[in-house]
Amino acid sequence: MTDMTAFQKAFASLPRGAVEAEVNAESHRIGQVEVHGGAVTGADRSEDAALYLRVSGDKTGYSYTQDLRDDPEKVLREAYENGRFSESSSPDEIHRGPGAVTVDLGHIEAELDIDSLSSYGQAFERDLCAFDSRISEVFLSLRAETIGMHTVNSHGLDVGSTRPLYILTAVANSGKGGRLYTASYNRTASALDRFSVEDFGHNLVEMLESQYDPKPFRSGSYKAILHRNVVYNIMSTAWQLFSGQRYLEGSSLFSGKLGGKVAADCLRVRDYPSRPDSGFDIACDCEGSSGGVVDLLDRGLFVGLMHDLATAKALVAKPTGNAGRRPLLSGNIPTAIQVTPRNLCIEPGLRSLGEMVEGLEDGILVTASFDVFHSINIASGAFSIPCKGLAVRNGRRESATGPLVLTGSLGGLLKGVEEVGRDFYIGTMLALDNYGIGACSLQVNELSISGA
């Protein structure tokens, strides 16, 4: 954890007019290797740390620095003075009184040695290429990261943890009929021995096969199965339905519906601080809150929300440990605190994807989707998602489709789910790598598909 002793001392001499302050330190030490054709084609070591400061009087001001040598009193004063530009009429919530605890939540390092990572990556790529003859080549990326989180405040809060994260991504090529097909698969883990060549191999081959020899597909309404890849992409945006912040703003389809029926009986959604099948172990959030499992959907009922301190107070609830600074892609420096998932998961059902396809009879298996960030409106629930899939006839997968567009609303989609598969997958929120999204395949009674 980052040493915060100097800031804790500086809390005794806050700027005139300031009544409380908080400093959150986030650190990342990273080792990364790229492997192709048995050779290490790239390797890198890096580290960075950032300090996020909040200082409150009548309002709250923020500051940010990556220079850990900055004078604490100077950056605290800058944060307080920045409060003059705040549009808020009141100060932020921070931990006070009994909530201002002191606890070390543990320290576990990732393996960052480049030679060790290279050896692991080369062996994994070799075994993956040998897994199936349909895989002609593999491009492998392995990232190891030690993530530190440490938050202190002027009321005595001192909470932190250090955790490892590994991210393994494989891109596989396959040639057939004079065409090149490509598939990508990504997993996260808290230890290297949790990655499996068989898991990567089976999934890559399945995704490659689903693209072979595409045929035209007629537009219409169909019984459908959304492959877990598609559900994962949808939930990478749709998790915002369960944000306490969105709920308060009225900018969620679910705003005002807490306690009501919003989905099918078979759907259950939870947010976990950690899971054995995920590399994201979120012992505490950036406000210094820890939290347990949060039930969000239970048998189709909207039963809970993810909260930071501010939304918990506004809705007379307990904070759930879901305060973060990078909930979605953004080019801005993330000084403002927002609600962020940890490991948001659809709970698995009983049948395999193969069994679900057999029971579908005629319809479509939607195997891939694209551009979900711009294709889903969280406030209205409307979506129009580019995708592709496999036609299903008499319970068997037939030809791959060309480009399709899936249209509808999240409300209708969630209420129309007839079955949840057991093929659970959890992966990183792509390009952010700060939380996990878990999904299973879903059978839906009717979906509108525009084909070509």
Side-chain angles (χ1 to χ4, degrees), residues 192-312:
L192 286 171
D193 60 11
R194 290 190 177 274
F195 293 125
S196 160
V197 171
E198 290 74 19
D199 172 48
F200 272 73
H202 283 302
N203 280 281
L204 286 167
V205 168
E206 180 188 48
M207 286 185 279
L208 288 167
E209 283 192 322
S210 71
Q211 302 175 60
Y212 293 157
D213 304 322
K215 301 291 191 302
F217 190 82
R218 181 177 296 177
S219 300
S221 295
Y222 294 89
K223 289 179 67 70
I225 295 172
L226 300 180
H227 191 281
R228 64 182 188 177
N229 297 335
V230 177
V231 179
Y232 161 82
N233 280 342
I234 290 173
M235 293 305 295
S236 293
T237 297
W239 68 261
Q240 296 171 87
L241 295 171
F242 308 104
S243 161
Q245 187 174 355
R246 281 276 199 172
Y247 190 90
L248 275 172
E249 294 170 350
S251 60
S252 165
L253 174 67
F254 287 174
S255 290
K257 297 180 181 179
L258 194 60
K261 186 85 168 180
V262 297
D265 290 346
C266 58
L267 272 176
R268 188 169 194 175
V269 178
R270 287 174 162 171
D271 185 61
Y272 293 83
S274 64
R275 286 180 58 105
D277 46 6
S278 167
F280 294 99
D281 184 354
I282 316 296
C284 61
D285 64 19
C286 67
E287 293 180 316
S289 299
S290 58
V293 177
V294 182
D295 287 309
L296 303 170
L297 275 184
D298 186 6
R299 294 181 294 276
L301 291 173
F302 181 23
V303 296
L305 289 161
M306 297 177 290
H307 287 297
D308 59 16
L309 288 173
T311 64

Side-chain angles (χ1 to χ4, degrees), residues 7-276:
F7 280 98
Q8 290 169 308
K9 291 179 179 178
F11 288 152
S13 54
L14 291 175
R16 185 188 299 270
V19 296
E20 57 188 5
E22 175 191 89
V23 183
N24 166 236
E26 188 175 328
S27 62
H28 302 265
R29 292 191 293 118
I30 300 168
Q32 185 161 336
V33 297
E34 312 286 338
V35 178
H36 174 59
V40 176
T41 57
D44 187 45
R45 279 287 303 268
S46 64
E47 59 181 273
D48 64 77
L51 299 176
Y52 302 90
L53 297 90
R54 297 194 289 175
V55 182
S56 299
D58 295 332
K59 298 182 177 184
T60 299
Y62 307 89
S63 66
Y64 162 88
T65 181
Q66 289 184 302
D67 188 350
L68 303 188
R69 298 166 299 177
D70 270 347
D71 177 61
E73 292 188 11
K74 177 180 75 74
V75 291
L76 287 167
R77 184 170 61 255
E78 289 174 354
Y80 177 66
E81 291 172 351
N82 287 339
R84 293 177 299 169
F85 307 105
S86 172
E87 297 179 358
S88 175
S89 60
S90 59
D92 287 1
E93 288 297 315
I94 70 170
H95 280 292
R96 309 177 184 96
V101 298
T102 297
V103 58
D104 184 344
L105 294 169
H107 187 103
I108 307 172
E109 296 271 345
E111 172 59 77
L112 300 178
D113 179 71
I114 293 297
D115 289 339
S116 298
L117 295 175
S118 297
S119 296
Y120 180 91
Q122 288 172 298
F124 200 98
E125 189 248 5
R126 180 190 64 240
D127 292 344
L128 191 53
C129 285
F131 179 81
D132 193 290
S133 61
R134 284 163 289 190
I135 298 176
S136 58
E137 63 177 346
V138 171
F139 297 83
L140 195 78
S141 172
L142 173 62
R143 172 173 169 153
E145 185 170 0
T146 298
I147 304 170
M149 185 72 74
H150 192 183
T151 303
V152 298
N153 75 20
S154 57
H155 299 291
L157 178 81
D158 187 350
V159 178
S161 69
T162 303
R163 293 290 189 269
L165 172 66
Y166 297 90
I167 304 173
L168 185 62
T169 302
V171 177
N173 288 335
S174 175
K176 184 178 181 181
R179 298 182 62 178
L180 180 67
Y181 298 91
T182 299
S184 176
Y185 188 66
N186 169 286
R187 290 303 297 256
T188 60
S190 57
L192 286 171
D193 60 11
R194 290 190 177 274
F195 293 125
S196 160
V197 171
E198 290 74 19
D199 172 48
F200 272 73
H202 283 302
N203 280 281
L204 286 167
V205 168
E206 180 188 48
M207 286 185 279
L208 288 167
E209 283 192 322
S210 71
Q211 302 175 60
Y212 293 157
D213 304 322
K215 301 291 191 302
F217 190 82
R218 181 177 296 177
S219 300
S221 295
Y222 294 89
K223 289 179 67 70
I225 295 172
L226 300 180
H227 191 281
R228 64 182 188 177
N229 297 335
V230 177
V231 179
Y232 161 82
N233 280 342
I234 290 173
M235 293 305 295
S236 293
T237 297
W239 68 261
Q240 296 171 87
L241 295 171
F242 308 104
S243 161
Q245 187 174 355
R246 281 276 199 172
Y247 190 90
L248 275 172
E249 294 170 350
S251 60
S252 165
L253 174 67
F254 287 174
S255 290
K257 297 180 181 179
L258 194 60
K261 186 85 168 180
V262 297
D265 290 346
C266 58
L267 272 176
R268 188 169 194 175
V269 178
R270 287 174 162 171
D271 185 61
Y272 293 83
S274 64
R275 286 180 58 105

Side-chain angles (χ1 to χ4, degrees), residues 369-403:
S369 58
F370 314 95
D371 196 33
V372 291
F373 297 114
H374 301 96
S375 304
I376 300 176
N377 186 312
I378 294 300
S380 69
F383 60 76
S384 180
I385 303 172
C387 61
K388 58 185 177 181
L390 286 166
V392 177
R393 298 284 183 268
N394 300 316
R396 299 184 64 181
R397 307 180 198 201
E398 287 196 343
S399 60
T401 72

